[in-house]
Amino acid sequence: VAAARADVVLMDVRMPGMDGIEATELLLGRSAARAAGTGPKVVGLTTFDLDEYALSAIRAGASGFLLKDAPPEELLAAVRTVHRGDAVIAPSTTRRLLDHVAPLLRAPGPESGRHAAAVESLTAREREVFTLIAQGLSNPEIAARLYLSEATVKTHVGHILAKLGARDRVQAVVIAYETGIAVPAQAR
């Protein structure tokens, strides 16, 4: 990947030897540009829509996941979307996935304390925007809900991602579930 200077990597989640999750962690963990958000983006490929490996890939730093049987045009659109810095998972799909695996996200982990501290560092307005991101709202929907311009929402989203240390909205939503900002639909 370093020799090819890849912008986007399509990573099979289930591979012999080193699985795609470990490979994603290795690829992104060793990337000096990861902290700056300029390193390669990873899209995990999985067989099942609610595969537990998809969540693990996102936690490892992947910008989302697709099913292996996705049509070519969807795959191309996903690569372009991730290259722009967005996630490849539609907010409704992300929410459904995270509702399904929320108990796994609540399990204490090494990053729980860091994420909680990062959430506490958000301003009141950033926390409002963060909550709406976690509910699956797009920037235009957030702008309409909070009576803000889309540019202002985009600025808030950028600040939120930076403070949380999240590469994209998908990782931000994972953090929202981990820290209790978002709760599964069945728990409401």
Side-chain angles (χ1 to χ4, degrees):
V1 171
R5 296 178 47 140
D7 294 319
V8 178
V9 174
L10 297 176
M11 182 74 69
D12 190 344
V13 175
R14 293 183 184 166
M15 300 185 297
M18 180 184 294
D19 68 26
I21 294 154
E22 187 179 349
T24 297
E25 288 173 344
L26 186 64
L27 172 67
L28 298 178
R30 288 195 179 162
S31 172
R34 180 180 183 181
T38 58
K41 307 279 196 287
V42 176
V43 176
L45 296 175
T46 185
T47 306
F48 303 106
D49 194 15
L50 292 177
D51 190 342
E52 71 217 30
Y53 294 117
L55 177 63
S56 297
I58 292 167
R59 281 184 147 170
S63 295
F65 71 93
L66 289 176
L67 296 178
K68 288 181 181 179
D69 62 357
E73 57 276 2
E74 187 176 324
L75 185 60
L76 286 172
V79 168
R80 289 182 182 114
T81 299
V82 168
H83 185 262
R84 279 194 316 265
D86 293 326
V88 297
I89 308 170
S92 60
T93 305
T94 303
R95 181 151 191 94
R96 186 172 47 83
L97 170 69
L98 293 173
D99 279 349
H100 180 75
V101 296
L104 298 175
L105 292 172
R106 292 306 200 138
E111 295 193 343
S112 299
R114 185 177 65 78
H115 288 160
V119 169
E120 288 301 316
S121 75
L122 299 176
T123 66
R125 179 60 91 180
E126 288 168 349
R127 194 173 173 105
E128 259 185 304
V129 172
F130 180 45
T131 301
L132 295 175
I133 289 169
Q135 292 174 9
L137 274 64
S138 66
N139 286 357
E141 292 168 331
I142 294 170
R145 175 87 52 100
L146 299 179
Y147 304 103
L148 300 171
S149 72
E150 284 186 48
T152 300
V153 171
K154 189 173 180 179
T155 298
H156 285 308
V157 171
H159 291 159
I160 292 163
L161 295 179
K163 286 181 179 182
L164 297 178
R167 289 175 59 94
D168 53 40
R169 291 169 82 103
V170 172
Q171 285 193 318
V173 173
V174 169
I175 292 168
Y177 275 80
E178 286 177 343
T179 58
I181 297 297
V183 294
Q186 63 268 23
R188 285 185 217 138

